[in-house]
């Protein structure tokens, strides 16, 4: 696949490391566990949105945009990474935050990613849960155009065909690493939300005939909706790459049993996953995405779901900056 045909800015620190997790593997007693460190993509603390933004910002520059508009939840990692690259490109950045949790916690509303959005100079505005955020972005874009600006809208999570190319690229990168290390990957597991990461990975892994199955652990929608969203975007991404029909419905698998009460609301199993990864492997997860993904990963290993597998890779999609917005989710002892 020839991704150089598409506009792209190269600012991510790639290739991200593919590392073993010996302590966690031993503790869980199943297959060998590996981690693909997309928390280390470099931009503003890293995360999966950086790979998507390489292609999205490439398109924005190609269209001569001078202003970026995007949206996300209050503690959006996507918003942080977008604000950061907009700053570097000398572009104005408007971030529309949807208050999906209704939390009044000061840390949630002002610390973590929100603090960083503001440090990168983005202007923030807040919308109630269930607002039509795409319509809100279009409305702002019209207002800015009327003022002579050239806005470019980055969709929520950077999840469209252009953004998904970042994860087609990640699939090729992972495959190259696995081949160089003579590592036979039996499964790839990661947290799935706005669908771009899984859609890109599935498209890339199918198009390269890797035969590596991908399991997305949902963080918001029920399984049928999530798989439907991923499949739709994967199909569109394959078309964009000139391989229409390459992705089959059965290539898209999500498990949405680890969402808990809802998007952005921490779960007990997610908190356990954060503590396990931190204390066994010195790796920081986040309560919204990677912890729920890891909770599914851990639970399925404990249940013997991957019994025949030799090597499983967990894709770390980043997000630890959100930890500081969620101090109250942890039952940590006082000290004196
Ligand atoms: C956005 C995000 C995800 C989900 O990726 P999608 O492409 O939106 O499905 C997973 N983990 C983290 C930390 C994220 O910020």
């Amino acid at each position: 696949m020839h991704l150089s045909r598409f506009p792209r800015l190269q600012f991510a620190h790639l290739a991200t490391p593919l590392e073993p997790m010996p302590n966690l593997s031993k503790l869980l007693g199943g297959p060998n566990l590996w981690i693909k460190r997309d928390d280390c993509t470099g931009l503003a603390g890293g995360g999966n949105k950086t790979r998507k933004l390489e292609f999205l910002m490439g398109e924005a520059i190609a269209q001569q945009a001078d202003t970026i508009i995007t949206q996300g939840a209050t503690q959006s990692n996507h918003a942080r990474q977008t604000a950061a690259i907009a700053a570097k490109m000398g572009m104005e950045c408007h971030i529309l935050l949807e208050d999906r949790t209704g939390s009044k916690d000061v840390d949630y509303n002002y610390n973590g990613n929100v603090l960083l959005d503001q440090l990168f100079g983005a202007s923030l505005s807040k919308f109630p849960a269930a607002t039509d955020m795409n319509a809100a972005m279009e409305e702002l874009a019209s207002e800015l155009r009327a003022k002579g600006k050239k806005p470019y809208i980055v969709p929520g999570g950077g999840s469209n065909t252009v953004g998904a190319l970042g994860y087609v690229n990640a699939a090729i990168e992972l495959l190259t690493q696995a081949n160089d290390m003579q590592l036979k990957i039996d499964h790839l597991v990661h947290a799935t939300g706005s669908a771009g990461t899984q859609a890109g990975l599935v498209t890339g892994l199918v198009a390269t005939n890797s035969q590596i199955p991908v399991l997305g652990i949902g963080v918001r929608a029920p399984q049928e909706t999530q798989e439907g969203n991923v499949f739709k975007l994967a199909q569109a991404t394959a078309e964009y790459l000139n391989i229409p029909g390459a992705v089959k419905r059965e290539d898209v698998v999500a498990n949405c049993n680890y969402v808990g009460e809802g998007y952005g609301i921490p779960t007990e199993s997610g908190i356990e996953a954060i503590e396990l990864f931190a204390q066994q492997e010195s790796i920081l997860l986040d309560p919204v995405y990677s912890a729920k993904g890891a909770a599914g990963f851990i639970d399925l290993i404990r249940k013997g779901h991957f019994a025949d597998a030799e090597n499983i890779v967990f894709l770390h999609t980043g997000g630890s900056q959100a930890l500081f917005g969620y101090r109250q989710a942890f039952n940590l002892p006082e000290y004196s």
Side-chain angles (χ1 to χ4, degrees):
M1 242 168 330
H2 194 30
L3 295 178
S4 311
R5 291 185 287 131
F6 301 94
R8 175 183 176 190
L9 304 179
Q10 288 190 281
F11 46 79
H13 296 182
L14 304 179
T16 59
L18 175 60
E19 300 173 333
M21 295 196 285
N23 300 334
L24 205 55
S25 303
K26 195 168 163 210
L27 188 79
L28 296 175
N32 298 318
L33 307 180
W34 295 76
I35 189 161
K36 173 70 171 159
R37 299 293 303 271
D38 274 13
D39 56 324
C40 302
T41 50
L43 178 69
N48 62 342
K49 304 313 178 307
T50 297
R51 288 185 187 270
K52 302 178 183 182
L53 285 164
E54 285 199 331
F55 289 90
L56 290 159
M57 293 301 287
E59 190 181 70
I61 296 292
Q63 294 179 8
Q64 299 178 330
D66 57 15
T67 302
I68 298 294
I69 301 173
T70 198
Q71 60 101 358
T74 308
Q75 281 294 333
S76 167
N77 303 299
H78 164 69
R80 162 180 42 91
Q81 290 160 77
T82 305
I85 193 60
K88 180 155 173 111
M89 300 309 296
M91 296 161 105
E92 225 177 80
C93 184
H94 298 266
I95 294 173
L96 284 54
L97 295 177
E98 181 189 357
D99 181 17
R100 289 186 202 163
T101 66
S103 169
K104 296 284 169 265
D105 182 35
V106 174
D107 281 336
Y108 181 78
N109 285 289
Y110 290 97
N111 205 338
N113 282 307
V114 181
L115 166 75
L116 300 178
D117 296 342
Q118 294 186 309
L119 281 181
F120 289 123
S123 63
L124 304 181
S125 50
K126 187 169 169 171
F127 293 78
T131 300
D132 183 341
M133 298 301 285
N134 289 329
M137 289 196 294
E138 288 295 349
E139 200 175 310
L140 176 59
S142 307
E143 284 169 26
L144 291 168
R145 265 183 228 114
K147 289 182 189 160
K149 295 277 179 195
K150 284 191 176 169
Y152 178 88
I153 295 178
V154 175
S159 286
N160 58 11
T161 52
V162 175
L165 293 183
Y167 271 88
V168 173
N169 190 40
I172 298 169
E173 180 183 302
L174 178 66
L175 206 54
T176 303
Q177 285 174 316
N179 288 339
D180 288 350
M181 293 161 75
Q182 281 202 301
L183 177 72
K184 181 178 148 287
I185 300 174
D186 298 300
H187 291 274
L188 176 62
V189 182
H190 69 93
T192 178
S194 67
T197 300
Q198 190 170 3
L201 284 174
V202 168
T203 307
L205 290 173
V206 166
T208 50
N209 191 27
S210 70
Q211 308 192 26
I212 299 174
V214 179
L215 174 63
I217 308 287
V219 299
R220 188 178 188 187
Q223 182 184 0
E224 217 169 294
T225 313
Q226 188 64 25
E227 288 184 351
N229 291 345
V230 173
F231 182 48
K232 203 171 141 202
L233 183 52
Q235 278 179 304
T237 304
E239 258 171 57
Y240 194 51
L241 286 165
N242 254 316
I243 41 169
V247 179
K248 304 279 179 282
R249 177 63 185 82
E250 61 268 25
D251 296 325
V252 175
V253 183
N255 178 327
C256 298
N257 297 333
Y258 302 91
V259 176
E261 271 179 70
Y263 175 88
I265 302 172
T267 56
E268 218 173 284
S269 61
I271 298 295
E272 188 214 356
I274 290 175
E275 290 171 350
L276 269 181
F277 272 67
Q279 292 166 19
Q280 296 295 323
E281 299 291 346
S282 309
I283 289 170
L284 295 173
L285 304 177
D286 79 288
V288 182
Y289 293 98
S290 53
K292 289 183 181 177
F297 176 74
I298 290 165
D299 188 50
L300 292 170
I301 291 163
R302 283 177 175 154
K303 286 177 173 159
H305 178 82
F306 303 111
D308 299 335
E310 224 177 300
N311 297 294
I312 309 184
V313 177
F314 180 72
L315 171 69
H316 192 334
T317 42
S320 66
Q321 294 71 18
L323 282 171
F324 306 104
Y326 278 93
R327 194 171 66 98
Q328 294 197 344
F330 298 91
N331 194 11
L332 300 171
E334 291 193 11
Y335 64 93
S336 58

